[in-house]
Structures are given as structure tokens and as C-alpha cells.
Amino acid sequence: MVVPLVVGIDGSEASLEAVEWAADEAVRHEVPLHLVHAAATDHETPGLVAVASERAGKSAPTVRLSSEVVHEDAASALVGKGRNAFALVLGSRGLGDLAGLLLGSVSLAVAAHADCPVVVVRGGLEHRNGRFGSVVVGVEDGQGSGTAVDFAFRESHVRRCRLVAVHAWSVPVGNPGPPGFSGYALQAMGRPPAQVLADALRSPAERYQDVPVSGDVVEGPARRVLLEAASGADLLVVGARRRHGHVGLQLGLVNHAVLHHAPCPTRSYRRYDPVTSRVGRVAVQQGPSAP
């Protein structure tokens, strides 16, 4: 059984844009598309599902499509469906969200708690329709970004586009180092930033030799660096750490920033326990706890 790509619908224009994006994505990855609408009652539900199904069919006529209405709150329903999903796709805003919110409350809750990759569909038509021919992935030190990098390579492979891997670094606050050392030299006393990037790309680059890859090592806050890189991308891929011992939302500052402000669709990958958690029936490795 092939697990589906699941998209949440609520009748908002943002959710319908997410349906169109998800339909194309499902065809690229050769997986079914499953529409999920969470509703307290059946009032107007058939029409809403029909409109979303029509938008999916127009965007990708060959997509294998199914739909479902569940009677529970939207965030819980989608998190539950994500336990057996290729990924969850969400609109950036919902019908009931306040005008001042940059990201819908349901999308934010699902991105924080889902057990599968989550895509928040953001940006204008040029970013959603693959105009730029580029996927950007954020790379950090350690094992944390390995899953995100792997999936970014796969996205670039199915899209037949280039991959831009970005590693942002900065000198720790309060650690100026010896007189005369540049910031890069100080950072290189530990693990050189260029080496961090090269190590992260080596293995997946061998598996996806058809993907053209460029690397960019940038001094500065990761949030700013990734948002700037995403301005010329069709998709931004970032990793999200589990925050052990924290109650409630489990997204770090970088994830919050890109999910709220990225100019293009953004895919977030959580890091899992390799024994107890699986995504698309492929076990992936859990990264370190976030501070």
C-alpha cells in the first residue's frame, strides 16, 4: 500500500492553493492525493469537497484522488492522518484566522506536532508553480539536518531542478576569540563551516548524481539567511528538532520564522526515533534535543 499525500481543506483560498500545489506534488512523487476536511457538521461539506476535488483535477488531471470528512477539530484530525502519510500539505491561512496572523493557527499546530513532513504552501503563483527551478535546503552542524537534506535531494530529483544548500554560521555571543582572528577563522577552530556543508552533502549527492548542487556558506542568523535564499526558490526545506521536556508547540525559532515569512512553499522535517517512528515506511534518525 502506497501512503498518500494528505492535504487539509477548509474552503479558504489558501487551502485551495495548497490543493493545487499538492496535486502536482503527488504526481511528481507518484503517490495518491487524499483531501481531508474536518467539520463539526455536514453542512455545506459536499460542496466544499467537490470544489477542492475539481481544483486538484484541473491542476493535475492524472492524480489519484480521494477525500474524507472527519468530525473532529482540524489540527487533531490532520496530525492523526499524518501518522500514515507521505506528507501533510496545508494552506498558510485558514477561514477563521485573524487578519493579523501570518500563519493560520491550524497550520502552526500541525507543523509543530505532526509525525511526518509538513508543507505550508506560501508565496505567489511564481513560487508555487516552479518558475525558479530551484530547491533550497538549510544545513546545520551535526546529524540534525540529515533528513531534510535527503528529502531536498529527492525533491530536486523529481522536479529535475537544481539544489541550493545553505549553511549559516556565526561566532557565539561573548566569545570574541584571540585578537586578530576573523569570525570565519574563529569558527574554523572548531569545525570549519565549509566542512559542515560538504559532509552533509556528500552521501546524498552520491545517490542523486543527476541533481546539480551548489553550496553557500553565509555568516549571519539562520532565519535571515534562509529567508533571503528562499526568495529565488520554488521550495524551502528545513529540519525541525524535537524539544524534549517542552510542553506545547515544539518548533524552534528558525522554523517559526520560515513558516511565517518564507516567500515560497516550505517543507519542515521533524527528527525521529529510528526504532519507534517511520515516515513513508522509511526509518529516519532522531537528532539532538533543541536547547
Side-chain angles (χ1 to χ4, degrees), residues 10-100:
D10 63 3
S12 66
E13 181 59 26
S15 80
L16 294 176
E17 291 172 354
V19 166
E20 293 174 338
W21 188 93
D24 291 333
E25 183 78 349
V27 171
R28 278 192 289 264
H29 288 278
E30 300 181 342
V31 298
L33 178 65
H34 187 58
L35 310 181
V36 175
H37 174 55
T41 68
D42 290 327
H43 181 60
E44 295 184 354
T45 292
L48 187 156
V49 173
V51 169
S53 298
E54 182 180 4
R55 290 279 285 263
K58 286 183 177 179
S59 180
T62 62
V63 69
R64 291 173 286 166
L65 185 64
S66 62
S67 61
E68 179 181 7
V69 177
V70 293
H71 297 290
E72 59 181 304
D73 74 272
S76 297
L78 290 168
V79 169
K81 295 299 176 183
R83 297 190 182 102
N84 190 36
F86 178 80
L88 286 170
V89 179
L90 311 166
S92 59
R93 292 280 302 281
L95 283 176
D97 294 310
L98 299 176

Side-chain angles (χ1 to χ4, degrees), residues 169-189 219:
W169 66 274
S170 59
V171 177
V173 176
N175 183 22
F181 269 62
S182 67
Y184 190 93
L186 184 62
Q187 187 78 358
M189 291 173 66
E219 181 178 6

